[in-house]
Amino acid sequence: MDVLVKQVDLLLVRHGTTRWNREKRYLGHTDIPLDRGGRDELAPLARELAGKAFRGVYCSDLARCRETLAIISPAHADTAMYDPRLREMHFGAWEGHTYEQLQHEPLYRQWIDSPQQVMPPGGEPWADFAGRIDGFVGSLLKDVEGTCSRPAEAQNDGGAAHSESKGIGNSGSALPRSKGIKIGGSALSESQRIEIGEAALPGSQGNENGGVELSGSKGNEIGGVTLSGSKGIGDREAVLSRSEGPEGIGPESQVPPEMLIVAHGGVLRQLAVSLVPGLSFWDVHVQPGSLLRIRLSFTEETGGWNGKLVNEA
């Protein structure tokens, strides 16, 4: 018996670069705009997304994400849902500071070793950050269901229409917290840092250009995301275990409807963890102004939605 499969593509975009990003300062809820270079770097993505008819558009309510959306998809800027749940983690008293400024503070060093257990002073606990992202995912999946249940002609309405939800910021209940976040067993030294979208966190070794190259990765890029454990184009199986190529469109090779999410690096990582089975927060790095595509598939056999990373945008 044939199994019904419904598919939707989520296009996750990280906002362009700000001055604090270039200066490697912790940037969470501080509301600063893109710098000139950050606006210019979005031009290729704007060309790539031109004319796309998105079934739903969701964006962090902070200026750097609003500005990014206005550049890459101006037709949707007025109809997008601006949701504060898509804000980056709040770094409290450490906002605007660099690793070099904080490295000798005892609490900061504890946080570097155990970010899930230690909270920045005046900042946001990791559990609260993960919980609000899970709440957004719960609302998003309701909208995805609405998109898949509408007739095809209703889905080709120019991209401004959303599902029956009155606003993702107020709809849906939180999903159970994702179990995919992994830090590893032992304490991490200060040299083992990972960027949580805007800032440095433990987990991988930083490079000299301000980006992060994940341990075990040789720089294989999947839609702007580096996956750990991949060794380059000759070893695609390492990537395709969790990601499918452009040929994996679906049963009838139909192009799935698309939904756009513009947010922050740490948020996109956590969304990927919630949506892609077996993916860890530390597996993914999204460069400013880059795009990650996740293909969601629902099957009657499993009765649920599962995501895969797709290596084409």
Side-chain angles (χ1 to χ4, degrees):
M1 182 178 70
D2 292 338
V3 176
L4 176 64
V5 177
K6 298 183 290 186
Q7 292 186 326
V8 172
D9 275 9
L10 302 179
L11 277 61
L12 277 57
V13 172
R14 182 180 172 187
H15 66 77
T17 303
T18 70
R19 179 171 58 86
W20 279 17
N21 292 138
R22 297 190 194 280
E23 296 172 354
K24 301 181 182 179
R25 298 182 184 277
Y26 284 95
L27 178 55
H29 286 201
T30 304
D31 202 9
I32 64 175
L34 305 178
D35 64 15
R36 180 172 181 176
R39 292 188 289 272
D40 291 344
E41 74 189 356
L42 294 171
L45 187 56
R47 291 192 294 269
E48 186 178 337
L49 300 183
K52 282 188 175 289
F54 296 113
R55 307 300 183 263
V57 179
Y58 312 91
C59 185
S60 164
D61 64 335
L62 296 181
R64 56 193 184 272
C65 291
R66 287 176 172 269
E67 190 175 356
T68 295
L69 175 59
I71 293 171
I72 65 172
S73 191
H76 296 89
D78 290 337
T79 57
M81 296 183 182
Y82 295 96
D83 195 327
R85 291 180 296 181
L86 289 173
R87 291 186 180 190
E88 184 58 278
M89 178 182 285
H90 194 333
F91 297 108
W94 296 340
E95 290 264 342
H97 290 76
T98 66
Y99 170 81
E100 287 71 21
Q101 292 172 325
L102 298 169
Q103 60 182 318
H104 300 301
E105 293 190 16
L107 183 63
Y108 177 76
R109 295 178 69 86
Q110 292 174 33
W111 182 68
I112 286 291
D113 288 341
S114 303
Q116 287 181 300
Q117 285 73 47
V118 179
M119 181 181 72
E124 183 176 22
W126 189 290
D128 289 0
F129 168 70
R132 63 179 164 88
I133 301 304
D134 282 344
F136 172 82
V137 169
S139 302
L140 175 68
L141 292 181
K142 288 187 176 183
D143 285 357
V144 167
E145 279 285 351
T147 292
C148 289
S149 65
R150 283 182 291 157
E153 59 270 18
Q155 293 185 7
N156 293 312
D157 56 7
H162 298 277
S163 71
E164 290 73 12
S165 168
K166 297 298 183 182
I168 196 166
N170 299 314
S171 63
S173 57
L175 295 180
R177 238 172 230 121
S178 171
K179 299 179 181 178
I181 307 172
K182 301 175 184 176
I183 296 179
S186 58
L188 298 165
S189 70
E190 61 267 26
S191 65
Q192 293 176 296
R193 296 173 294 157
I194 196 163
E195 187 177 297
I196 180 172
E198 329 297 324
L201 277 181
S204 104
Q205 299 172 349
N207 64 32
E208 63 185 3
N209 296 320
V212 173
E213 184 173 324
L214 296 175
S215 303
S217 169
K218 301 300 183 181
N220 199 37
E221 291 291 325
I222 305 294
V225 178
T226 305
L227 295 178
S228 64
S230 67
K231 297 180 180 178
I233 195 167
D235 190 18
R236 290 184 74 237
E237 291 75 13
V239 175
L240 294 179
S241 62
R242 281 189 306 238
S243 136
E244 61 181 35
E247 70 280 0
I249 295 296
E252 289 83 26
S253 295
Q254 296 176 346
V255 177
E258 296 175 323
M259 305 173 85
L260 177 67
I261 301 174
V262 180
H264 312 264
V267 172
L268 300 188
R269 278 193 174 118
Q270 189 62 20
L271 285 172
V273 166
S274 297
L275 295 168
V276 180
L279 195 65
S280 159
F281 186 94
W282 313 115
D283 286 339
V284 181
H285 175 65
V286 190
Q287 296 284 355
S290 66
L291 180 149
L292 165 66
R293 182 185 292 263
I294 294 178
R295 179 156 296 150
L296 292 180
S297 299
F298 179 94
T299 65
E300 291 182 331
E301 186 177 39
T302 63
W305 291 93
N306 282 318
K308 289 186 178 181
L309 298 179
V310 181
N311 64 341
E312 56 90 29

